[in-house]
Amino acid sequence: MDDQTKAALRLLAELQRANEIDTQAIPGQAPAVRVILRTPDGEYLGEALLSTRAANEIANVVSCAAAYPLTKTRTPIEEYLEAEINEHCIGLDTDLLLSMDPREAVAAFDEVTGYGDGDQL
């Protein structure tokens, strides 16, 4: 299997996974979009059904990726900041935090990330 096919199948798997996560979060959603992947010469690779919400979220991600040059070399500070964000966001359920009272959300964030008194945010 060539690298192009592997990349296409990985994309298909991620589309399906995004839809499954979305459907688990909000049961009963109907499929709204069918994404079909083919090789450059037209060979069928697979397809994914997406809910409206999943399709919109994936479109937002693609839009952000398109706005950020794929060839851009990351600076050391960008790598450091990404590592910091990843470290502090492990185990956080952002939907839960957003649904909470702001003071409770700060306390929950502090508990997960190890910050102290809630005044850090």
Side-chain angles (χ1 to χ4, degrees), residues 36-98:
I36 299 172
L37 293 182
R38 295 183 179 274
T39 64
D41 61 355
E43 181 184 340
Y44 176 84
L45 290 174
E47 60 187 59
L49 294 174
L50 304 176
S51 68
T52 301
R53 183 169 177 246
N56 285 330
E57 292 301 321
I58 290 167
N60 289 338
V61 169
V62 171
S63 176
C64 290
Y68 191 81
L70 295 176
T71 58
K72 182 180 184 293
T73 304
R74 293 177 41 193
T75 65
I77 191 67
E78 288 173 317
E79 291 177 5
Y80 171 78
L81 291 173
E82 182 180 351
E84 284 292 301
I85 289 169
N86 288 338
E87 179 182 339
H88 289 295
C89 291
I90 291 173
L92 291 178
D93 181 344
T94 54
D95 290 333
L96 175 64
L97 288 177
L98 290 172

